[in-house]
Amino acid sequence: MTDDEKHRSEARAKILKALAHPSRMYMVEKIKDKAHCVCELAEMIGIDQSTTSKHLSILKAAGIIEDRKEGTTVYYSLRCHCIMDFIGCIENVIRMNLERDYNFLKGD
């Protein structure tokens, strides 16, 4: 592996690691169409605002989301909407796995 390949793989892994938590995946899905503040996201998920802020900082550090301040409230939105294409791909893999498992159980 070359240095460039290593750096590219590390950058990809950082993004995947940022998404690799159910609460963060949920947040990404919720902010895809509308920006939300920490308090809104915390309420939707059912966790405290401090934990929500930590999750958001991980997503922001990975470059997945961005924020904007309005008065004292910070709103979070997707920085790169094509991440939803990747999440759609994950859904396809889940569907394919379910079909495979169903066919296995049927004896096909």
Side-chain angles (χ1 to χ4, degrees):
M1 181 183 312
T2 67
D3 283 344
D4 284 346
E5 291 169 327
K6 182 179 179 183
H7 291 301
R8 189 171 27 258
S9 294
E10 289 170 350
R12 290 173 178 164
K14 180 181 178 182
I15 293 166
L16 292 173
K17 285 178 187 178
L19 290 170
H21 189 282
S23 293
R24 292 193 291 268
M25 287 291 288
Y26 182 83
M27 288 178 196
V28 167
E29 192 164 4
K30 287 300 169 187
I31 65 174
K32 75 178 190 249
D33 296 320
K34 178 183 179 260
H36 289 283
C37 65
V38 172
C39 59
E40 292 170 330
L41 292 167
E43 185 176 327
M44 286 182 221
I45 299 167
I47 59 176
D48 61 85
Q49 289 187 24
S50 173
T51 303
T52 303
S53 291
K54 289 176 187 173
H55 285 306
L56 289 166
S57 69
I58 291 168
L59 291 169
K60 187 177 175 187
I64 298 168
I65 66 171
E66 59 190 2
D67 61 9
R68 69 172 163 45
K69 197 168 186 177
E70 286 184 19
T72 59
T73 306
V74 179
Y75 290 92
Y76 295 88
S77 58
L78 281 185
R79 182 169 174 248
C80 187
H81 286 269
C82 67
I83 199 77
M84 297 312 298
D85 295 335
F86 175 69
I87 291 172
C89 181
I90 293 170
E91 293 294 324
N92 287 337
V93 172
I94 292 168
R95 227 178 339 275
M96 289 171 46
N97 288 346
L98 288 171
E99 288 173 12
R100 179 200 61 210
D101 295 347
Y102 175 74
N103 289 332
F104 174 77
L105 291 172
K106 276 186 11 182
D108 288 352

